[in-house]
Amino acid sequence: MNQEISLVVNGTSHTVRVGDHWTLLDLLHDALDLKGTKDGCGEGVCGACTVLVNGRAVRACLTLAAYVQGAEVVTIEGLARDDELDPVQRTFLELGAVQCGYCTPGMIMMSKALLDENPNPTRDEVREALAGNLCRCSGYTKIIDAVMAVRGAD
Ligand code: FES
Ligand code: FES
């Protein structure tokens, strides 16, 4: 069995055929060839697959593709505008918050969701928002520093 799903991804409308068991992560990787969203654990633990659905951060590995029928999805590929990085992306790069980079798309999308909702978070609020995003490399300090530095950078 499969079904047709219509959605908007990074500003572009798509209609794709997906299996009933497909997740949003399968849809992005296999139907749309958008590989920037990472598959870290596949079971909702690491946050590497975080994307925005109708402006809210969700884990694409836990979200059924059928759930995003009619939704607006933003992935890491959709953040840059006219070849200019989003301030969150730029600040992660400038402050060395990226090492192996595997966790980075999820970290950036979660940070984006936080800053969209609360443009001036405290350090504790940043830490809390990113608590479900795991990084094995940077030790979190530089990641939290980057989110703190991006506040008001628009
Ligand atoms: S890949 Fe989705 S939470 Fe780890
Ligand atoms: S930069 Fe390597 S897991 Fe975060």
Side-chain angles (χ1 to χ4, degrees):
M1 286 284 287
N2 55 34
Q3 57 188 308
E4 219 163 63
I5 303 285
S6 296
L7 73 169
V8 175
V9 180
N10 300 333
T12 302
S13 298
H14 298 274
T15 298
V16 294
R17 190 156 279 282
V18 301
D20 287 340
H21 62 285
W22 278 33
T23 64
L24 173 55
L25 189 59
D26 296 325
L27 187 161
L28 294 171
H29 281 189
D30 299 339
L32 300 181
D33 202 28
L34 290 170
K35 303 278 173 55
T37 303
K38 298 301 181 231
D39 184 355
C41 65
E43 51 189 34
V45 174
C46 73
C49 65
T50 304
V51 299
L52 305 185
V53 174
N54 296 331
R56 301 198 61 179
V58 305
R59 296 182 176 219
C61 74
L62 288 186
T63 303
L64 278 177
Y67 173 78
V68 296
Q69 162 63 34
E72 187 151 339
V73 176
V74 179
T75 70
I76 190 72
E77 291 93 341
L79 286 192
R81 287 270 173 269
D82 301 325
D83 290 335
E84 187 153 327
L85 292 178
D86 180 271
V88 184
Q89 294 173 299
R90 197 174 57 242
T91 311
F92 266 61
L93 280 175
E94 286 172 357
L95 297 190
V98 176
Q99 289 191 36
C100 81
Y102 208 80
C103 67
T104 308
M107 289 282 185
I108 287 177
M109 298 313 288
M110 184 56 81
S111 302
K112 180 81 182 152
L114 168 67
L115 292 165
D116 285 349
E117 194 181 305
N118 175 7
N120 199 24
T122 64
R123 198 169 181 90
D124 280 348
E125 286 170 333
V126 173
R127 198 175 282 126
E128 190 177 329
L130 293 178
N133 288 69
L134 306 184
C135 176
R136 301 247 168 170
C137 304
S138 82
Y140 300 98
T141 301
K142 289 187 173 185
I143 292 170
I144 293 166
D145 286 348
V147 180
M148 292 303 286
V150 82
R151 297 177 312 166
D154 265 332

